[in-house]
Amino acid sequence: MKVKNNRLEALRMIISSQELGSQDELLSALKKEGFQLTQATLSRDLKQLKVAKAASMRGNYVYVLPNDTMYKRVSTPQSVREMMQVPGFMSINFSGNMGVIKTRPGYASSIAYNIDNHQINEIIGTIAGDDTIFIVIKEGISQDEVIAALSEVVPNMK
């Protein structure tokens, strides 16, 4: 499962940083990153990620992730390996018994998934978007306690 999760993350990074319009181009980009897969597996991955095709600024149809307006394509993209070395977590802010975690685009759902699956007692639940996670904190829990609990699950939280 870890290989699939890494492959899906690499696919997100590739789609968000390059304008690719065919599955052959995606397969080639994935191969450069060390992922060897079939067209059928790529099709299933694209379906799971809810990838669509949309017109680019140049008029070409390219693959895009859901809510792709959050993604900014760069002219000299980093390799997926370089991008994956940067943590997804960016910041956390609190208001009462609520918190908002900001992440890099595409990271919120996987970080929220990790939070939910670690059954952190201080947190009642999460709702994740593309780059934002909303958390509800149990009454009487301090911000420091939440950060301490989250730092066990979210890399670079401290």
Side-chain angles (χ1 to χ4, degrees):
M1 192 60 128
K2 185 173 174 96
V3 171
K4 181 178 180 181
N5 289 338
N6 289 342
R7 185 180 70 240
L8 291 174
E9 187 62 28
L11 188 54
R12 279 189 202 98
M13 297 279 192
I14 289 167
I15 291 170
S16 67
S17 65
Q18 300 175 43
E19 289 190 359
L20 302 174
S22 73
Q23 288 192 2
D24 285 339
E25 291 173 327
L26 283 173
L27 286 169
S28 180
L30 284 164
K31 187 174 183 178
K32 287 179 187 173
E33 298 298 334
F35 296 95
Q36 188 73 32
L37 59 148
T38 65
Q39 182 274 327
T41 299
L42 176 60
S43 289
R44 285 190 294 274
D45 289 352
L46 293 172
K47 184 176 181 178
Q48 182 176 345
L49 294 175
K50 297 182 171 100
V51 171
K53 274 194 165 181
S56 71
M57 296 298 277
R58 298 180 193 154
N60 302 325
Y61 280 88
V62 297
Y63 288 103
V64 294
L65 294 162
N67 301 319
D68 200 36
T69 56
M70 300 286 210
Y71 292 85
K72 293 181 175 61
R73 298 187 191 281
V74 291
S75 56
T76 54
Q78 296 175 309
S79 73
V80 171
R81 289 191 208 307
E82 292 170 323
M83 288 188 276
M84 289 178 88
Q85 289 175 352
V86 178
F89 169 80
M90 295 181 72
S91 66
I92 185 168
N93 288 296
F94 298 95
S95 178
N97 72 325
M98 299 175 291
V100 174
I101 299 172
K102 296 300 279 180
T103 72
R104 291 178 56 223
Y107 279 77
S109 62
S110 61
I111 291 174
Y113 176 83
N114 288 339
I115 293 169
D116 291 340
N117 281 325
H118 279 83
Q119 298 173 352
I120 298 171
N121 291 328
E122 293 83 354
I123 297 175
I124 295 172
T126 66
I127 300 173
D130 184 60
D131 64 353
T132 306
I133 304 167
F134 173 75
I135 60 173
V136 178
I137 302 159
K138 285 185 180 173
E139 291 292 331
I141 302 293
S142 73
Q143 293 176 7
D144 290 336
E145 289 174 293
V146 173
I147 291 172
L150 286 172
S151 67
E152 300 294 320
V153 178
V154 180
N156 297 339
M157 173 67 77
K158 285 189 176 182

